[in-house]
Amino acid sequence: MEPLDETSLLLPEDNQLEHTVSALEHSYHEHNLSLPKIPILLSLWLGSFLSSIDGTIVANIMNGVAEEFQESDKKQWIATSYLLTNTAFQPLYGKLSDIAGRKFAVLTAHFFFGLGCLLTCFAKDVTQFSIARAICGIGGGGINAMSSITVSDICTTRERGIFQGYANIVFGSGQILGGPIGGIFLDSIGWRPLFAIQVPLIMVCSLLTYINVNIKLIHVPPYKERFTWKNLSRIDIFGSISLVITISGILFLTSTNLNKSVLLFITVASFIIFIWVETSYAKERIIPFELLKGAFGLSSIATVISSFVIFGDIFRSPIYLQLIQNISVTKTGLFLLFPSMATAVGSILTGHILRTTKLNIAHCASLINFWGMVMQFGGLIVEYLLIAHVNPSMATKDVVKSLISPSTVEFESAAYTWKVIFICASTCVAFGYSLLLVATLVSIVFTIDRSQQGTMTGIFYLWRSIGNVLGASLTLVVYENSLSKLLWNYMFNSDSTAYKFTKDQYEKMIKDSAVLRSSGFPSKVLKGLLNIYRNAFLISYVPNLVLAFAGIAILWCLVRLYDRVSKTTDEI
């Protein structure tokens, strides 16, 4: 018999410890599965519903709110502020829930969302409105992230897909209803009650969460250790802050008259700090760069582009319809119904195709991604051409006569033809986005090692969030900057009109777009001004079209990559 050394004595203890941990983990899992699902799901999904409906509400009422404050030139910050903080804080909630518990993370998200809604009610200008929306975004990102994480804790693997489907229906319903509800409120009792009513509802969510979300996790430290610096330092807060400053710097550089040199220095410095934090400092990083290679790297770029395109469209379309076509906010909300429905249908269809395909999952997903981007590009092209050939709402040209002459094809604003085409085009953009979104997520599950799936899924959502905030903000920034230059040239440097404009009229139109129709301009002058606004909208499509075309090229490379892999596999 060989003599025992000191390591031999540890082996039984290690095995016993491993067995104890395994038994405790199994006990906690059984406890979590036994929790009452309905009140937990109600607290989570009501929060998700409020978060989703809140987003499309703001997209539809944004122009009306900016006009009410007479600050139409700042409307991009209404959209950007929420998306910016949502982007920064969403990746942190998963880690927060791992070190402080699911209940604390969900309640934190509810607190910031409710506080943001409450402060929004008392906003007196666009700046205050945007700050309140930013606070709301801190919670909004957490609500969506924690809904998915917590549901995974309380259901089996087989049930997870079913509950995720239900969650998508809830979220999609909120997106569908947000636009019309926002329009009805704005046209009747105003926008402030829209946000006030969300406060008591989110408080109900918090109460249900506090009572029912009693999830036990073996990796969550004891309560006394949860809020120590050693534990909290696992959250990549410096990476998130530097990322937000970098994105904010880009937005300030393109949309304000602040000192460009200082802004450029801050932006570049914050980006360098972000890279350093992610590569050398953070214990558990937001973005592990070594994983962003090959197919997933290409998919990540395509995700940013696709999100850029859809959110640019979501926030641009209502402004065009309300401002150029003089369509009410309520009716504009109906235009948003169809893209939201297309997103839900596209998600279900993609899931069905990937579940029944005989192709390799990753190969099939790459094909779906490619055609999804093609659909987005095609939808943008149709929208661009349509806007270029639709007269403003005061036009009198007869639609039938105009269609007879192919060289001057134009539609009258009151006609239904262009509205149907516009809805089809915007629906195509949303449908393509949903194809790419679901296909990329499924490909992560089937092609990435299980130990890295959580990390890669988190990165995917981060890329999507970055695309969201850049798409909404830069699209509106390009529109606003183009409008300022085109309007100035038309009013003061053009011989096309004999009407004498004043600088006061120019400043009023830039700050309050409602002045355009309320200033009593002659019909000819009004039509000229509306055409200037329309041209600014057309210019705002350029970055979206360029990026969508680049996305097609990138995804074609991805398809070719999987084609080569499939041929190699078949030969073997």
Side-chain angles (χ1 to χ4, degrees):
M1 180 177 177
E2 295 183 5
L4 295 175
D5 57 19
E6 58 184 2
T7 58
S8 301
L9 296 174
L10 292 176
L11 291 176
E13 294 181 8
D14 288 343
N15 291 334
Q16 185 178 4
L17 178 61
E18 183 179 344
H19 177 74
T20 302
V21 170
S22 178
L24 185 60
E25 186 174 7
H26 178 74
S27 175
Y28 282 179
H29 181 60
E30 292 298 321
H31 165 80
N32 295 337
L33 293 179
S34 67
L35 292 173
K37 289 183 174 59
I38 293 179
I40 294 176
L41 294 175
L42 180 61
S43 67
L44 297 173
W45 289 351
L46 178 57
S48 295
F49 179 81
L50 292 175
S51 175
S52 63
I53 200 173
D54 185 87
T56 46
I57 281 174
V58 172
N60 195 26
I61 70 171
M62 176 177 59
N63 191 58
V65 172
E67 288 180 351
E68 180 179 321
F69 292 133
Q70 298 184 351
E71 293 180 308
S72 293
D73 55 327
K74 298 179 181 178
K75 67 167 68 75
Q76 68 269 20
W77 290 105
I78 295 177
T80 302
S81 55
Y82 179 93
L83 295 173
L84 189 62
T85 52
N86 187 294
T87 299
F89 287 91
Q90 182 170 282
L92 301 182
Y93 275 94
K95 184 57 61 181
L96 177 64
S97 70
D98 284 339
I99 67 176
R102 304 294 196 240
K103 178 185 292 188
F104 179 82
V106 175
L107 290 175
T108 300
H110 288 170
F111 170 77
F112 282 106
F113 185 83
L115 178 62
C117 288
L118 181 63
L119 294 176
T120 304
C121 300
F122 300 100
K124 296 181 180 179
D125 53 40
V126 168
T127 300
Q128 293 182 10
F129 190 97
S130 300
I131 292 173
R133 294 295 302 160
I135 295 172
C136 198
I138 296 174
I143 287 174
N144 294 327
M146 290 310 304
S147 174
S148 177
I149 292 171
T150 307
V151 168
S152 298
D153 292 326
I154 64 172
C155 64
T156 64
T157 304
R158 180 170 295 183
E159 293 173 332
R160 194 171 301 166
I162 298 173
F163 284 117
Q164 188 60 51
Y166 292 153
N168 289 340
I169 293 174
V170 172
F171 192 85
S173 299
Q175 287 186 317
I176 291 171
L177 295 174
I181 290 176
I184 291 171
F185 270 73
L186 189 65
D187 287 341
S188 55
I189 61 177
W191 54 267
R192 296 181 193 273
L194 268 172
F195 298 98
I197 198 172
Q198 295 183 63
V199 177
L201 291 176
I202 204 67
M203 290 175 68
V204 172
C205 293
S206 297
L207 179 62
L208 290 172
T209 299
Y210 182 79
I211 295 173
N212 297 290
V213 180
N214 299 309
I215 294 172
K216 294 182 179 181
L217 299 169
I218 195 169
H219 61 268
V220 175
Y223 185 79
K224 292 182 179 180
E225 299 177 12
R226 292 181 185 180
F227 302 101
T228 60
W229 173 248
K230 180 181 179 181
N231 199 35
L232 292 175
S233 63
R234 294 166 56 193
I235 300 177
D236 187 11
I237 190 67
F238 294 112
S240 295
I241 291 174
S242 56
L243 177 62
V244 169
I245 294 174
T246 301
I247 297 176
S248 299
I250 295 172
L251 301 183
F252 277 107
L253 276 169
T254 55
S255 62
T256 68
N257 294 320
L258 299 176
N259 191 303
K260 301 294 183 182
S261 299
V262 174
L263 284 175
L264 182 61
F265 173 78
I266 293 174
T267 303
V268 173
S270 62
F271 180 71
I272 294 173
I273 292 172
F274 172 72
I275 297 297
W276 175 77
V277 169
E278 295 303 297
T279 56
S280 306
Y281 177 77
K283 295 180 180 179
E284 300 180 27
R285 298 164 291 170
I286 294 179
I287 303 178
F289 290 103
E290 66 275 7
L291 299 179
L292 302 181
K293 298 177 182 178
F296 187 78
L298 294 176
S299 297
S300 298
I301 297 172
T303 299
V304 175
I305 293 174
S306 181
S307 301
F308 187 105
V309 168
I310 185 65
F311 266 72
D313 209 46
I314 286 173
F315 283 92
R316 174 178 49 221
S317 296
I319 302 174
Y320 166 75
L321 294 170
Q322 294 164 22
L323 188 58
I324 305 301
Q325 300 303 335
N326 203 27
I327 296 175
S328 70
V329 182
T330 301
K331 292 181 179 179
T332 302
L334 298 177
F335 279 79
L336 298 177
L337 280 174
F338 297 95
S340 298
M341 292 171 63
T343 302
V345 173
S347 299
I348 296 171
L349 179 62
T350 305
H352 175 73
I353 292 174
L354 290 171
R355 190 170 60 249
T356 58
T357 183
K358 294 182 180 179
L359 292 173
N360 174 273
I361 291 293
H363 190 190
C364 182
S366 69
L367 289 170
I368 293 174
N369 286 344
F370 173 76
W371 288 111
M373 188 65 73
V374 169
M375 291 186 70
Q376 286 192 290
F377 182 73
L380 288 176
I381 288 289
V382 173
E383 285 184 12
Y384 180 90
L385 295 175
L386 191 64
I387 290 175
H389 292 87
V390 176
N391 286 321
S393 63
M394 46 81 63
T396 57
K397 180 178 260 189
D398 181 67
V399 64
V400 177
K401 291 182 180 178
S402 68
L403 286 173
I404 293 174
S405 176
S407 61
T408 58
V409 174
E410 291 184 351
F411 297 95
E412 185 180 350
S413 176
Y416 285 103
T417 309
W418 76 264
K419 295 175 184 175
V420 173
I421 298 174
F422 188 88
I423 288 173
C424 291
S426 59
T427 299
C428 190
V429 173
F431 189 82
Y433 169 72
S434 68
L435 296 183
L436 190 143
L437 189 71
V438 176
T440 303
L441 275 174
V442 172
S443 66
I444 289 174
V445 173
F446 280 91
T447 61
I448 302 296
D449 185 78
R450 182 177 293 273
S451 63
Q452 296 179 345
Q453 284 182 12
T455 300
M456 302 302 269
T457 302
I459 294 173
F460 167 78
Y461 278 110
L462 178 61
W463 290 140
R464 189 184 72 165
S465 297
I466 291 174
N468 293 349
V469 65
L470 291 178
S473 58
L474 294 184
T475 298
L476 295 178
V477 165
V478 171
Y479 161 71
E480 293 290 348
N481 290 346
S482 302
L483 178 62
S484 298
K485 294 177 183 178
L486 292 174
L487 198 59
W488 178 270
N489 290 333
Y490 177 78
M491 295 175 74
F492 304 111
N493 299 331
S494 174
D495 297 328
S496 58
T497 177
Y499 190 87
K500 298 299 181 182
F501 294 100
T502 65
K503 290 185 178 180
D504 182 60
Q505 287 176 318
Y506 170 80
E507 292 175 356
K508 284 183 177 179
M509 277 191 284
I510 291 296
K511 292 187 175 182
D512 182 7
S513 55
V515 171
L516 182 63
R517 295 184 183 275
S518 62
S519 295
F521 291 118
S523 297
K524 186 177 180 180
V525 174
L526 177 60
K527 183 174 183 178
L529 290 171
L530 286 170
N531 284 332
I532 294 298
Y533 277 79
R534 178 174 64 177
N535 291 338
F537 276 108
L538 291 174
I539 293 173
S540 74
Y541 273 89
V542 173
N544 301 65
L545 287 168
V546 171
L547 284 175
F549 185 78
I552 291 174
I554 290 170
L555 289 173
W556 175 247
C557 293
L558 186 62
V559 170
R560 297 295 298 168
L561 175 64
Y562 281 116
D563 281 342
R564 289 195 294 270
V565 172
S566 297
K567 289 179 181 178
T568 303
T569 304
D570 292 339
E571 290 175 359
I572 295 175

